[in-house]
């Protein structure tokens, strides 16, 4: 049984590793019910790549029914970054209260040099006859006006550094989300029927997608460590996916194997004994 467990674990390890390699989260929500977001093919999109999911979203019959389609590109973001957000943040509240929503934690990127959700936004604008607006933190105020017809708003957030971890990464995410909530509030105030698509980009795109807009958040994202209170759990993320996997392997595979091995060795009994057989006479044996 232990051998089967080891074999099964070895078979699952590559799959567990690939679940985090070249993947990023995809979130979407709408202010009105959306047949596209609620369709089974989209809801089970975890098994598809980002290009297939974006094509299915943008090809939906009701994509042009929205007065505004907001496409947010956040390079370097991981599912763990979204899980660490406060429940009171704008994205979390919007997802929980939306009539239709989509939450995919690990979507594999079919192209490591493009974000299909962001790149196909212009196609949606042409198809729906919408006004295309590009926005980022360094471009000033968001220019949206319901009197100018439908809008497709492409928002590019500053990339998260691949090596940035712990409190520094959380502070960066908090600064990005604070700015994003203000911009989304402007869209919600201008349009009653809107769709928001929030997707990440693969880690390999970080250097190619870096822009000067990252300096907007430098002061807010890098506070003095001495101001961070709450101990080590507030400063660092201790339970990473790799550490959790290692603990599971140790507890449920290695320890049972060692216990079974020791128990098997302890149960071994030697058939040879030093007891003298009954009726044995040493003198008679010697004379023979």
């Amino acid at each position: 049984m232990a051998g089967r467990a080891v074999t099964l674990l070895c078979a699952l390890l590559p799959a567990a590793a690939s679940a985090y390699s070249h993947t990023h989260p995809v979130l979407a929500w709408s202010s009105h019910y959306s047949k596209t977001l609620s369709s089974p093919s989209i809801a089970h999109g975890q098994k598809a790549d980002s290009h297939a999911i974006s094509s299915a979203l943008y090809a939906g019959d009701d994509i042009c029914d929205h007065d505004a389609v907001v496409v947010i590109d956040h390079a370097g973001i991981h599912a763990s970054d979204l899980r660490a957000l406060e429940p009171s943040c704008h994205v979390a509240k919007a997802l929980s209260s939306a009539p239709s929503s989509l939450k995919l934690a690990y979507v594999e990127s079919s192209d490591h040099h493009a974000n299909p959700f962001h790149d196909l936004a212009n196609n949606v604008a042409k198809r729906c006859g919408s006004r295309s607006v590009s926005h980022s933190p360094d471009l000033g105020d968001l220019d949206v006006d319901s009197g100018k017809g439908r809008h497709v708003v492409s928002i590019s957030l500053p990339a998260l550094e691949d090596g940035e971890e712990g409190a520094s990464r959380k502070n960066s995410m908090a600064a990005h989300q604070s700015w994003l909530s203000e911009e989304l509030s402007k869209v919600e105030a201008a349009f009653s029927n809107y769709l928001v698509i929030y997707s990440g980009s693969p880690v390999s795109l970080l250097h190619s997608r870096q822009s000067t807009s990252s300096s907007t958040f430098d002061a807010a994202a890098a506070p003095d460590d001495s101001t961070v209170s709450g101990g080590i759990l507030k400063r660092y993320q201790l339970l990473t996916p790799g550490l959790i996997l290692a603990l599971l392997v140790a507890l449920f595979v290695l320890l049972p194997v060692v216990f079974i091995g020791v128990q098997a060795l302890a149960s071994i009994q030697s058939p040879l004994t030093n007891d003298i057989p009954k009726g044995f006479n040493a003198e008679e044996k010697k004379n023979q």
Side-chain angles (χ1 to χ4, degrees):
M1 182 178 67
R4 292 181 181 179
V6 174
T7 303
L8 179 61
L9 180 68
C10 292
L12 291 177
L13 281 176
S18 63
Y20 299 99
S21 179
H22 302 298
T23 63
H24 56 271
V26 174
L27 304 176
W29 65 91
S30 60
S31 59
H32 291 67
Y33 175 77
S34 172
K35 292 187 295 183
T36 302
L37 291 181
S38 303
S39 64
S41 59
I42 296 295
H44 297 87
Q46 193 78 53
K47 301 176 182 178
D49 57 38
S50 57
H51 191 275
I53 297 174
S54 62
S55 299
L57 280 174
Y58 292 155
D61 296 334
D62 58 350
I63 188 69
C64 294
D65 294 342
H66 302 287
D67 297 328
V69 176
V70 182
V71 182
I72 305 168
D73 178 27
H74 200 172
I77 192 172
H78 301 304
S80 58
D81 298 319
L82 295 175
R83 285 194 294 267
L85 293 177
E86 295 292 336
S88 59
C89 76
H90 191 100
V91 172
K93 291 193 296 184
L95 281 170
S96 61
S97 62
S100 298
S101 62
L102 175 69
K103 292 174 280 189
L104 302 175
Y106 306 103
V107 177
E108 186 175 358
S109 177
S110 57
D111 186 353
H112 297 167
H113 302 284
N115 184 338
F117 295 94
H118 189 267
D119 297 340
L120 292 178
N122 290 332
N123 295 343
V124 176
K126 294 178 181 179
R127 174 187 170 188
C128 302
S130 304
R131 177 172 177 254
S132 182
V133 177
S134 296
H135 190 49
S136 62
D138 61 332
L139 293 181
D141 294 333
L142 178 60
D143 180 19
V144 291
D145 184 0
S146 58
K148 297 180 180 180
R150 296 188 181 95
H151 283 56
V152 173
V153 182
S154 300
I155 298 179
S156 297
L157 286 173
L160 291 172
E161 293 287 351
D162 188 25
E164 189 177 13
E165 296 180 356
S168 176
R169 190 177 184 90
K170 289 183 179 180
N171 290 330
S172 296
M173 273 295 297
H176 295 176
Q177 293 301 317
S178 176
W179 178 86
L180 181 61
S181 65
E182 295 180 1
E183 306 309 302
L184 290 178
S185 296
K186 297 176 183 177
V187 174
E188 295 169 359
F191 304 96
S192 59
N193 189 350
Y194 56 85
L195 168 68
V196 180
I197 302 173
Y198 186 175
S199 67
S201 301
V203 177
S204 58
L205 295 178
L206 286 179
H207 296 291
S208 62
R209 299 186 69 92
Q210 285 286 358
S211 64
T212 56
S213 61
S214 60
S215 60
T216 306
F217 299 103
D218 284 348
D224 186 3
D225 287 343
S226 61
T227 62
V228 180
S229 61
I232 190 172
L233 294 178
K234 286 288 185 179
R235 295 171 179 264
Y236 303 101
Q237 182 181 2
L238 298 181
L239 292 179
T240 61
L243 180 58
I244 294 175
L245 182 61
L247 291 175
L248 291 176
V249 171
L251 291 176
F252 295 104
V253 177
L254 296 182
L255 288 181
V257 169
V258 172
F259 177 77
I260 293 174
V262 171
Q263 192 176 34
L265 290 175
S267 64
I268 296 177
Q269 296 181 357
S270 175
L272 300 178
T273 61
N274 295 325
D275 297 337
I276 299 176
K278 192 174 181 180
F280 176 79
N281 191 328
E283 290 295 333
E284 181 179 350
K285 187 70 175 177
K286 184 176 179 181
N287 294 334
Q288 289 180 357

